[in-house]
Amino acid sequence: MNKPLNNRMQQREKIIDQLTENLVESTVAVLPKECDPDTRKKIRHEVSDRITFEANVALNEMVTKYCLPETPREEKQPEQEERTFLRFGKNFRAQHMLMFVSVIILIITGMPLKFPELSISKFLIIDLMGGLENSTLIHRVGAVGLILVGIWHLLYTALTAIGRRDFFLMIPMPKDIKDFWHTMLYFFGRRASGPKFARFSFIEKFDYWAVYWGMIIMIGSGSIMWFKELFPKFAFDISREAHSDEGLLATLSIVVWHFYNVHFNPGVFPMSWTWWHGRLTESEMKHHHALEYAEIIEAESKEIRAGQNETDNTGGES
Ligand code: HEM
């Protein structure tokens, strides 16, 4: 970084410090008595962090908006339309589609076997699928779909750059524990806002690893039951128990946890369409993935500055 830029950054830090100081000082009179010096220090620290973050995002956003030369993306979009960001590419969306079709088939054909006494089970197996023979055959079709998507995802993770990047970003980090705690404090009214997430929040990481683990158990135990003649009886018994319980757990976690996050949450109801077009709007990015958004905007803004420097150095000749 060159010297004048360094000086300007230091100047900006000073301004933010001063602003925070003034803000906190002007609020001291209205702070409750319990607000001891330590808490005030914490408040000062968090306010300063927030101002720095918002100021950086706003500055980069404005530079991108007003100084970026017209790009094909902007030419294509009508002016009022909100900018969108690609979150999931075609390959990943296709994997997700094959996965949910397979899992829905597996749930509809598996659950009635676990709860045969229910009238809905009789309806599904006898009236809808025409008997046990058909339903177990359809269960195996769903199972092949799930196995294929498992292999596909492993290859995608190993062989594509985006797959590898996302896999590493999915690994749980100490920040996830902090974010979890921050979210709890926020839910209980002890923080004014929730944590800021990067590309994957701790909730999304939990979702991903739960499915990973679930697939290993379901495919492993299902295959042992499918080809029971190749295994000892105790392996079949253990597999049946594991398959049955993990199947119920997977069904409940999909219906309660996953459906809440992507369908019933008031913020996305009736459904988030990201599974179809793979995109998030600018406001969704700011709200759900503020750190990733800040990174993208900063990278764009750097690109523009580099472009401008090049034009300056060549005297604007092309
Ligand atoms: C999300 C995925 C899955 C769910 C929710 C699911 C659910 C179930 C349930 C609840 C049962 C009845 C267990 C009982 O009798 O208590 C069952 C049976 C069975 N499942 Fe699955 N399953 C899934 C995936 C698979 C896979 C991947 C395979 C094969 C690789 C498989 C093969 C079987 C077999 C062979 C049976 C025994 C009944 C039959 O012959 O159809 N399942 N499944």
Side-chain angles (χ1 to χ4, degrees):
M1 204 184 279
N2 59 27
K3 226 176 172 188
L5 192 59
N6 241 340
N7 285 347
R8 260 182 286 154
M9 296 295 271
Q10 280 169 359
Q11 234 177 331
R12 205 163 80 178
E13 269 168 30
K14 259 194 206 160
I15 296 171
I16 289 174
D17 275 352
Q18 190 63 53
L19 182 60
T20 314
E21 195 64 34
N22 289 351
L23 268 172
V24 175
E25 284 313 312
S26 67
T27 326
V28 163
V30 288
L31 287 177
K33 273 200 204 92
E34 310 85 74
C35 209
D36 53 47
D38 265 359
T39 315
R40 282 180 196 182
K41 224 162 131 192
K42 244 191 243 163
I43 294 178
R44 185 171 290 135
H45 184 70
E46 276 196 33
V47 171
S48 161
D49 263 9
R50 186 85 62 83
I51 295 176
T52 312
F53 180 83
E54 299 294 347
N56 281 339
V57 171
L59 275 168
N60 285 321
E61 234 176 64
M62 294 307 125
V63 170
T64 312
K65 190 167 169 189
Y66 294 114
C67 314
L68 184 68
E70 286 272 296
T71 62
R73 166 182 51 73
E74 275 165 340
E75 275 161 24
K76 263 189 244 151
Q77 284 180 349
E79 229 173 85
Q80 305 88 326
E81 218 172 84
E82 201 181 354
R83 182 180 174 189
T84 60
F85 294 76
L86 185 67
R87 179 155 172 79
F88 298 126
K90 276 196 191 115
N91 188 324
F92 188 85
R93 277 178 279 152
Q95 289 175 45
H96 180 250
M97 287 178 208
L98 176 57
M99 170 139 184
F100 74 64
V101 170
S102 310
V103 168
I104 290 170
I105 292 175
L106 287 161
I107 291 176
I108 292 175
T109 52
M111 280 304 132
L113 297 180
K114 186 168 171 64
F115 303 106
E117 67 288 355
L118 298 182
S119 49
I120 184 159
S121 301
K122 285 174 194 135
F123 165 76
L124 285 171
I125 292 202
I126 298 165
D127 302 335
L128 197 69
M129 288 178 266
L132 205 56
E133 216 170 283
N134 291 348
S135 87
T136 52
L137 177 70
I138 300 171
H139 197 76
R140 282 157 175 76
V141 172
V144 170
L146 196 72
I147 294 168
L148 285 180
V149 85
I151 297 170
W152 183 355
H153 186 69
L154 288 179
L155 292 175
Y156 170 78
T157 307
L159 303 179
T160 70
I162 293 188
R164 277 193 298 273
R165 179 203 65 181
D166 279 356
F167 181 81
F168 286 117
L169 291 177
M170 274 292 180
I171 294 173
M173 290 289 167
K175 180 180 181 300
D176 295 312
I177 299 172
K178 279 193 207 151
D179 285 352
F180 168 76
W181 186 238
H182 187 150
T183 306
M184 290 301 121
L185 292 175
Y186 171 55
F187 284 166
F188 285 100
R190 311 288 299 170
R191 289 283 176 99
S193 57
K196 290 186 165 52
F197 297 123
R199 183 162 170 74
F200 299 115
S201 66
F202 71 90
I203 300 166
E204 289 158 337
K205 288 184 184 183
F206 183 83
D207 239 350
Y208 179 80
W209 291 111
V211 173
Y212 218 95
W213 168 247
M215 278 180 68
I216 294 171
I217 299 287
M218 294 314 284
I219 293 176
S221 58
S223 305
I224 293 176
M225 288 199 292
W226 190 345
F227 303 104
K228 55 176 179 277
E229 55 287 350
L230 302 178
F231 298 91
K233 185 176 176 306
F234 78 90
F236 176 86
D237 292 341
I238 294 172
S239 296
R240 178 150 188 218
E241 205 52 49
H243 198 82
S244 184
D245 292 346
E246 178 69 27
L248 180 61
L249 184 68
T251 306
L252 288 177
S253 82
I254 290 166
V255 174
V256 178
W257 169 271
H258 192 64
F259 277 19
Y260 174 77
N261 284 328
V262 298
H263 292 287
F264 305 128
N265 184 322
V268 292
F269 187 81
M271 165 154 69
S272 156
W273 283 94
T274 309
W275 68 273
W276 177 250
H277 48 54
R279 308 193 80 86
L280 286 186
T281 62
E282 190 157 27
S283 39
E284 285 170 332
M285 278 296 283
K286 280 184 193 170
H287 185 67
H288 299 293
H289 303 283
L291 301 179
E292 186 191 12
Y293 174 76
E295 254 175 43
I296 295 174
I297 298 292
E298 178 147 11
E300 283 180 353
S301 149
K302 263 189 197 150
E303 233 172 72
I304 298 158
R305 280 188 217 128
Q308 276 174 347
N309 281 349
E310 229 169 75
T311 320
D312 291 348
N313 291 342
T314 56
E317 286 169 26
S318 54

